[in-house]
Amino acid sequence: MDTFRGTKLGVPNLYRVLAKHDIKASFFFSVGPDNMGRHLWRLLRPAFLKKMLRTRASSLYGWDILFKGTFWPGPVIGEKLGKIIRSTSDADHEVGLHAWDHHAWQAHLDTMDSDAIHRSLYRGVDLLTRVLGRPPACSAVPAWKCNDLVLVEKDKFPFDYNSDCRGTSIFQPLVEGKQLSQPQVPVTLPTYDEVIGHNGVSNRNYNDYLLSLLEHEKLNVLTIHAEVEGIACLEMFDSFIKMAQSREASFSPLGSFLKDLPALGRAAIIEEEIPGRAGWVSCQAPTESHAIH
Ligand SMILES: [Zn+2]
């Protein structure tokens, strides 16, 4: 959940579709100010901004009035929509932290030091704890922007596991050769926006394409967005579930994969570029196969 709108509209929609198919999932919430929605709005409306500059509206009205809506902090999602967040937990879905401020994390992680990372995680965990009445069990960074500082800071919070990267198998993260305690459950499948419009994939064949990527007897982790599958692509997601279930696939929260696991391999997290996504994302490095508890 990246935005206020996604949480308000998309989450209850997903909640209904999942209930219909008797599925429990993992929800990761952004709980701080929604500066993302405003950022997206700004990106979608460059023509408006250009017009403003061209017509010199700024000199008539002053920059502060024109930009108030854009630069003002957005609504604090966890304060306004706590009831929705709590309802997913009440329905036995797994609830974790996505971000305090999704946009700030995505835009500034590269320059954030350990203190700034800790503060951001702390604010998110603190608000989510107040909303849920208990600390979140897990977390997943925005846009798969993770680094060693993040891994070390996360280890100081009581997360059972984190899902901060792309990869192929559950592993124990390594930072400078040292094994941290919280396992990583990587995302194995691409997101909707990464594949749509590429290599002949359209809304017509998207579900078939996604199903073709599922691998038997292996870890299959799919990320959906409340803003996409929960709103615009809700029906398509509903039929994806039906198609997958008819092929005997089943759906579980990520935490359930951690039960009864054999000893995990160990891997570092590295930055890589992946198809369909701008910039780098965190990926599971080649995993040391020898198992260490
Ligand atoms: Zn996100």
Side-chain angles (χ1 to χ4, degrees):
M1 277 34 94
D2 297 352
T3 62
F4 185 86
R5 185 169 179 269
T7 307
K8 188 174 178 193
L9 304 175
V11 170
N13 284 343
L14 288 175
Y15 176 88
R16 274 191 295 277
V17 166
L18 294 172
K20 187 168 99 181
H21 298 291
D22 201 18
I23 291 172
K24 303 293 178 212
S26 304
F27 285 73
F28 295 96
F29 286 97
S30 300
V31 291
D34 176 11
N35 294 318
M36 188 76 180
R38 278 149 202 270
H39 174 69
L40 289 176
W41 194 87
R42 210 163 71 219
L43 287 181
L44 290 170
R45 302 275 172 188
F48 168 78
L49 190 58
K50 268 193 211 130
K51 190 177 162 209
M52 278 296 175
L53 292 169
R54 209 171 45 233
T55 58
R56 297 173 58 85
S58 57
S59 59
L60 289 175
Y61 302 111
W63 288 103
D64 59 327
I65 292 172
L66 289 178
F67 284 125
K68 208 160 236 174
T70 322
F71 290 139
W72 219 242
V76 174
I77 299 169
E79 282 172 8
K80 291 253 160 67
L81 302 177
K83 226 172 116 184
I84 290 175
I85 296 173
R86 218 165 23 246
S87 72
T88 51
S89 154
D90 290 345
D92 287 336
H93 294 293
E94 194 168 61
V95 175
L97 175 70
H98 190 33
W100 169 252
D101 183 334
H102 195 291
H103 175 58
W105 184 282
Q106 234 178 313
H108 305 303
L109 178 65
D110 282 333
T111 56
M112 281 161 72
D113 62 12
S114 296
D115 282 351
I117 289 166
H118 193 91
R119 251 193 328 274
S120 177
L121 291 170
Y122 179 83
R123 295 182 86 177
V125 167
D126 182 52
L127 181 47
L128 202 45
T129 301
R130 277 186 277 137
V131 167
L132 299 174
R134 58 178 165 75
C138 47
S139 74
V141 289
W144 299 279
K145 295 266 182 213
C146 182
N147 58 32
D148 284 354
L149 297 179
V150 174
L151 291 174
V152 169
E153 292 313 312
K154 282 202 172 189
D155 231 45
K156 298 173 185 170
F157 291 86
F159 298 130
D160 294 337
Y161 74 89
N162 304 299
S163 180
D164 298 319
C165 64
R166 301 302 185 88
T168 53
S169 60
I170 301 176
F171 64 96
Q172 295 289 158
L174 285 173
V175 172
E176 288 171 4
K178 189 173 162 274
Q179 180 182 317
L180 301 181
S181 66
Q182 297 166 1
Q184 283 284 330
V185 182
V187 170
T188 68
L189 296 160
T191 59
Y192 174 79
D193 60 298
E194 284 166 10
V195 298
I196 204 76
H198 301 284
N199 303 317
V201 180
S202 66
N203 276 355
R204 208 167 32 77
N205 58 15
Y206 176 73
N207 283 345
D208 288 313
Y209 176 73
L210 195 54
L211 283 169
S212 77
L213 300 178
L214 298 183
E215 291 193 75
H216 213 60
E217 302 293 321
K218 284 195 176 167
L219 181 70
N220 295 285
V221 178
L222 173 68
T223 298
I224 59 166
H225 287 90
E227 293 76 12
V228 181
E229 283 85 349
I231 300 177
C233 300
L234 186 65
E235 263 176 59
M236 194 168 78
F237 179 60
D238 188 13
S239 64
F240 170 75
I241 294 174
K242 273 183 233 153
M243 289 163 81
Q245 285 180 332
S246 73
R247 296 181 193 194
E248 257 129 67
S250 64
F251 294 83
S252 309
L254 299 188
S256 68
F257 294 117
L258 294 164
K259 288 176 194 130
D260 308 320
L261 263 187
L264 295 172
R266 312 191 304 167
I269 282 183
I270 51 173
E271 295 179 7
E272 274 179 5
E273 305 230 340
I274 58 169
R277 187 162 286 276
W280 61 271
V281 297
S282 301
C283 292
Q284 174 181 7
T287 302
E288 295 175 14
S289 55
H290 63 271
I292 293 174
H293 285 279

